[in-house]
Amino acid sequence: MTFDVITIFPGFFGSILEHGLLKRAMASGHAAIRLHDLRDYTEDRHRTVDDRPFGGGPGMVFKPEPIFRAVETLRSEKHEKSLRVILLSPQGRLLTQAGAEELTRAERLILICGRYEGVDQRVVENLVTDEISIGDYVLSGGELPAAVVMEATVRLIPGVLGNEESREQDSFAVPAGAPPEVRQGLLDCPQYTRPAQFRDWNVPEVLLSGNHEQIRQWRRRQALEETWRRRPDLLAHVPLSEEDRRWLEALRA
Ligand code: SAM
């Protein structure tokens, strides 16, 4: 997958591209991340990307011309059918695991990072295919959200994570073999590691038992319980076995 990030702060991405998952994904050829300075697509001496809002009010707004020029230049390099032009915006649809999974179907994503009061509405209406928000709060720029979108998406590309099983056990992962309408899974179960006793706190006995069936059942029940307590909304969309239902009824009781 190729990511083209349009930003006025390309240097912002230095550390995330030099560490961890994104670095590994680029080294193994699963992802290419290209940074584009929006100011390189201006045509005036001052490399102006913003201007005052029509109608007055505080702050500045990204002008449409540099953004159109940047996206049209990048689009003209190659004509992928699955190209998506994404504006990071608090007004966009909330990013979820299912949404990230869906993004992996695109060959290439162009990510536009806003700043100041945001971008001229003509960009939103005539250039972008998707607006994505990473949460109901406002950040100063789209760079962190773009990094979040890339990380959430790249780790779902098959082959990127060392252990594919770990991704299937993650919170929100759709269970293997689930029908296509199932888009979100349960929260993950609690995890423990050595030592078996730390201060006065012991690891649950069952995890030390070596009994794989009992461990599977314990993990499933814990995942159901965590989800029921913290995110009951997710339970409505997850396929449940008879055993799961009985456990949930017991919890509710
Ligand atoms: N005036 C805008 C509003 O209230 O919707 C907020 C603009 S914000 C200060 C500047 C830029 O940060 C936005 O254009 C967007 O690119 C990015 N941004 C801020 N919060 C975001 C969020 N929750 N999700 C995605 N992008 C966000």
Side-chain angles (χ1 to χ4, degrees), residues 88-91 112-119 132-135 137-142 145:
L88 285 313
S89 163
Q91 297 169 27
I112 304 170
C113 306
R115 280 266 152 188
Y116 317 127
E117 294 309 309
V119 307
I132 294 182
S133 164
I134 61 159
Y137 42 79
V138 173
L139 302 166
S140 316

Side-chain angles (χ1 to χ4, degrees), residues 59-154:
M60 301 294 271
V61 176
F62 270 176
K63 291 159 66 60
E65 308 96 303
I67 300 183
F68 268 84
R69 214 173 281 125
V71 171
E72 283 165 359
T73 306
L74 294 173
R75 254 192 340 216
S76 69
E77 285 176 348
K78 210 170 157 212
H79 290 280
E80 296 105 339
K81 276 206 203 92
S82 57
L83 170 79
R84 286 162 79 163
V85 181
I86 296 172
L87 174 67
L88 285 313
S89 163
Q91 297 169 27
R93 69 164 189 278
L94 273 183
L95 180 68
T96 59
Q97 188 79 353
E101 184 88 51
E102 211 240 318
L103 290 178
T104 63
R105 291 190 208 127
E107 266 174 86
R108 186 172 172 205
L109 303 182
I110 297 180
L111 301 171
I112 304 170
C113 306
R115 280 266 152 188
Y116 317 127
E117 294 309 309
V119 307
D120 187 287
Q121 185 65 15
R122 288 164 288 189
V123 171
V124 177
E125 287 172 11
N126 303 297
L127 191 64
V128 308
T129 56
D130 304 75
E131 282 180 272
I132 294 182
S133 164
I134 61 159
D136 290 345
Y137 42 79
V138 173
L139 302 166
S140 316
E143 285 75 14
L144 277 173
V148 169
V149 168
M150 289 195 286
E151 164 102 23
T153 307
V154 166

Side-chain angles (χ1 to χ4, degrees), residues 168-218:
E168 284 156 26
Q169 286 169 9
D170 278 342
S171 295
F172 313 113
V174 174
E181 63 276 12
V182 176
R183 311 215 46 224
Q184 299 271 46
L186 300 173
L187 298 182
D188 196 5
C189 62
Q191 306 285 350
Y192 295 89
T193 186
R194 270 174 274 272
Q197 182 178 9
F198 171 64
R199 298 191 177 164
D200 283 342
W201 306 302
N202 292 322
V203 168
E205 203 64 41
V206 60
L207 297 178
L208 310 176
S209 69
N211 184 326
H212 295 298
E213 177 49 26
Q214 277 179 16
I215 293 172
R216 183 205 62 77
Q217 195 181 57
W218 181 86

